Amino acid sequence: MPSLLPFFRWCDETFVAVAVRKSVIAFPTIETFHLLALTLLFGSIAIQNLRLFGLLLKEQPISRVEKIFAPWTYGALVVMLSSGLLLFLSEAMKCYGSDPFWIKMGFLFLALVFHFTIYRKVVRSQDFRPALLKARLAATVSFALWISVGLAGRAIAFL
Ligand code: HEM
């Protein structure tokens, strides 16, 4: 398999990467937006998952809860992915050697694929009560994947 090292080295030397590293406030400012968006992402997904568990907004159809909260999820995702890219560029060589970074990217890939396929199908179901087991299973997998992304992201700073 060809090494990704030259690509990471190129990322580390881009104009944006150098500019973020040179600035004292750029990294913490971008990371603040990364984490603010994280609260919106987790919050909006948690509300949908708790509805799938039947613990919240029980009188509302799941598809309606999705309609209200999904735009917040997507908006937060756009901010997370773009701010994450900027953080990554500024420390691409550190990320290359960081196990938690690779674990995070793996979980992020799985979380996005799951969210935009199976999960979306379940929450967009028109049934007032989609098969309880299916709904709970989708919520459990969703929680597990997004929490894993968050934990691995936090671990980048330590490992
Ligand atoms: C929805 C997806 C994401 C979640 C839930 C997430 C979560 C997190 C968390 C919890 C942190 C730790 C912040 C801290 O240490 O205080 C973090 C930092 C970071 N994230 Fe993300 N992130 C996401 C997307 C991305 C993407 C797409 C990238 C890169 C392409 C990325 C790159 C980074 C980098 C480089 C850091 C800083 C690590 C460090 O040096 O401490 N993130 N992220």
Side-chain angles (χ1 to χ4, degrees):
M1 203 178 110
S3 166
L4 286 171
L5 187 58
F7 172 70
F8 276 66
R9 198 167 280 143
W10 175 80
C11 288
D12 206 68
E13 286 161 10
T14 53
F15 168 74
V16 178
V18 176
V20 173
R21 275 198 302 270
K22 266 196 183 154
S23 161
V24 181
I25 58 160
F27 193 95
T29 306
I30 298 165
E31 196 162 30
T32 302
F33 281 101
H34 201 56
L35 293 178
L36 284 175
L38 179 73
T39 63
L40 263 187
L41 180 81
F42 278 17
S44 59
I45 288 178
I47 290 169
Q48 295 172 74
N49 284 350
L50 292 174
R51 172 61 188 89
L52 288 171
F53 277 122
L55 295 172
L56 206 79
L57 301 169
K58 269 190 238 173
E59 66 291 351
Q60 299 287 344
I62 289 173
S63 55
R64 186 167 149 71
V65 176
E66 191 265 351
K67 216 174 183 162
I68 296 168
F69 289 98
W72 293 98
T73 307
Y74 300 146
L77 256 181
V78 170
V79 178
M80 291 239 64
L81 296 178
S82 40
S83 57
L85 183 68
L86 290 175
L87 294 175
F88 161 72
L89 286 176
S90 75
E91 51 179 26
M93 288 311 291
K94 171 185 160 183
C95 290
Y96 183 79
S98 159
D99 288 339
F101 173 77
W102 293 103
I103 293 169
K104 173 177 170 176
M105 290 302 117
F107 276 121
L108 180 58
F109 175 75
L110 292 178
L112 288 174
V113 169
F114 179 73
H115 190 89
F116 288 102
T117 53
I118 299 169
Y119 183 82
R120 201 150 77 160
K121 209 168 148 193
V122 173
V123 285
R124 285 192 176 173
S125 155
Q126 291 306 308
D127 308 345
F128 200 78
R129 288 184 55 186
L132 216 56
L133 182 67
K134 205 166 79 177
R136 283 171 189 238
L137 209 64
T140 306
V141 175
S142 167
F143 265 138
L145 287 174
W146 286 116
I147 288 170
S148 302
V149 177
L151 288 178
R154 189 68 192 99
I156 297 172
F158 301 104
L159 302 173

